[in-house]
Amino acid sequence: MNLINGNELAQQVRTEITDTINKMVAEGKQRPGLALLLVGENPASQVYVNSKDKDCKEVGMYSEIRRMPAESTQDEIIAVIKEWNADEKIHGMIVQLPLPKHVNEFEVISTIHPEKDVDGFHPINAGRLLIGMPCFVSCTPAGVVEMIKRYKIETKGKHVVVVGRSNIVGKPMANLMYQKNEYANAVVTICHTGAKDITQYTRQADILIVAVGVPLLIKKEDVKPGAVVIDVGMNRIIDETKKSGYRLVGDVDFDDVKDVCSFITPVPGGVGPMTRAMLLHNTLLSATKGIY
Ligand code: GUN
C-alpha cells in the first residue's frame, strides 16, 4: 500500500502559488483576492471559513470574511454577492454551504459572477465542465485530479467508480474523469443510495472515489485488490479515548482496506488539504489569466 500524502502535495501547491504571487506583486500587479461569506453559526462551516482565510493570508492573497446572522434574508445575502461582483479587489468569492433552510442555495449561487465563482458551483461553470469547456472546477474534485496527476496514477481506460452524487463532489468528479484528456479518459460509474448493493459496483473499480458522508462505509470486501482508493469523507465519530471526545474518520475504513489497495488517501491528511489548496489555485487563476 502507498499512502497519498495530501498534506505534502498541498504544501507543494501552496509554495508554487506563493512564488507566483510574490512575482506578481514585485511586478506591481494586484494581489489576488478572495471573499468568504458565512451565514449563520454552523460550527464546521466556521472552521472551514477560518481555515480558508488563513490559507489565503499564508500565500500572500488578500482575503476577507463577511459573517451574517442566520436570520439574514436571501436578498441581504444576494446584496453582498453583488457588492463583491463589482469589487476589483475580489477575484473570487465563496458562499459557504449549507445556507440556512429559508434561503434558496441555487438562487444565491447563481448570483455569483461566473468569472468569480472559484467554487465552480455556478450553473455556467457546472455546465461548462460537463461539455469539456474551460471552467472553474469545484475544489474537492479538482484536488483529487491533482493528486492523481502528481502521483502519476494511470486513468486512461480504467474503471473509476464514484460513490456519491452530490453537486459539490460526486457529479463534478464523475464528469472530470470521463473527459477526453491526459488525466482522465476513464470509464465512469456513479453509484448512490438508489443502488441495491454498492459492493457489486465498488469491487469493479480500478479507482474508487467515495464521497457520501457515511463513516467507515467501505470495507475490504468492497475493494478490488490493487485498486486506488480516494476517500473524500470527513466524519466525526465518538471516541472517548480522545480529549475532544471524538475523532475524524473517512467514508473508507482505512485500517481494514489499506492492505488490499495499491494507493489510499488517509483522513485527515488526504483530500481535505488538497481541497483547500485548489481554492487558492482557482483564485489565482481568476486573478491571472482567468477562465473566459
Ligand atoms: N460546504 C462543503 N464543502 C464546501 C465547498 O467546497 N465550498 C463551499 N462554499 N461550501 C462547502
Side-chain angles (χ1 to χ4, degrees), residues 45 48 52 94-98 119 121 138-140 168 275:
S45 292
Y48 290 140
K52 291 170 186 179
I94 71 155
V95 177
Q96 189 64 34
L97 302 179
D119 251 338
F121 294 169
S138 175
C139 300
T140 298
I168 295 182
T275 297

Side-chain angles (χ1 to χ4, degrees), residues 163-285:
V163 187
R165 57 176 153 188
S166 68
N167 291 336
I168 295 182
V169 185
K171 285 179 194 152
M173 190 76 248
N175 281 325
L176 283 167
M177 295 314 298
Y178 62 68
Q179 297 294 335
K180 202 166 180 178
N181 66 51
E182 195 187 339
Y183 300 106
N185 222 354
V187 175
V188 178
T189 298
I190 307 182
C191 55
H192 44 72
T193 47
K196 290 208 171 61
D197 163 26
I198 65 163
T199 306
Q200 62 176 305
Y201 304 105
T202 59
R203 270 195 76 80
Q204 293 179 36
D206 300 308
I207 301 174
L208 177 62
I209 304 174
V210 193
V212 280
V214 179
L216 310 174
L217 174 74
I218 301 295
K219 309 285 183 194
K220 64 173 177 295
E221 304 73 46
D222 302 313
V223 177
K224 177 162 94 172
V228 174
V229 178
I230 311 273
D231 187 357
V232 180
M234 175 68 82
N235 312 289
R236 280 182 180 196
I237 60 167
I238 292 169
D239 183 343
E240 270 143 21
T241 68
K242 303 279 177 199
K243 219 166 86 191
S244 59
Y246 70 87
R247 74 188 155 101
L248 286 177
V249 296
D251 293 348
V252 175
D253 188 337
F254 182 93
D255 290 329
D256 198 49
V257 165
K258 68 180 189 313
D259 295 325
V260 185
C261 53
S262 57
F263 286 91
I264 187 166
T265 60
V267 176
V271 174
M274 285 306 285
T275 297
R276 285 165 58 180
M278 296 320 287
L279 179 61
L280 301 172
H281 167 89
N282 283 352
T283 306
L284 177 60
L285 189 63

Side-chain angles (χ1 to χ4, degrees), residues 57-105:
K57 298 200 157 96
E58 273 176 20
V59 297
M61 280 185 189
Y62 169 78
S63 62
E64 63 181 70
I65 305 180
R66 186 80 56 99
R67 293 184 172 83
M68 298 177 75
E71 315 74 60
S72 306
T73 65
Q74 186 164 307
D75 286 347
E76 284 166 339
I77 295 169
I78 286 175
V80 174
I81 294 173
K82 288 187 172 161
E83 182 191 321
W84 285 338
N85 280 342
D87 185 339
E88 288 183 0
K89 287 195 304 303
I90 304 303
H91 300 95
M93 73 184 86
I94 71 155
V95 177
Q96 189 64 34
L97 302 179
L99 286 169
K101 288 209 166 46
H102 66 278
V103 180
N104 182 326
E105 272 179 14

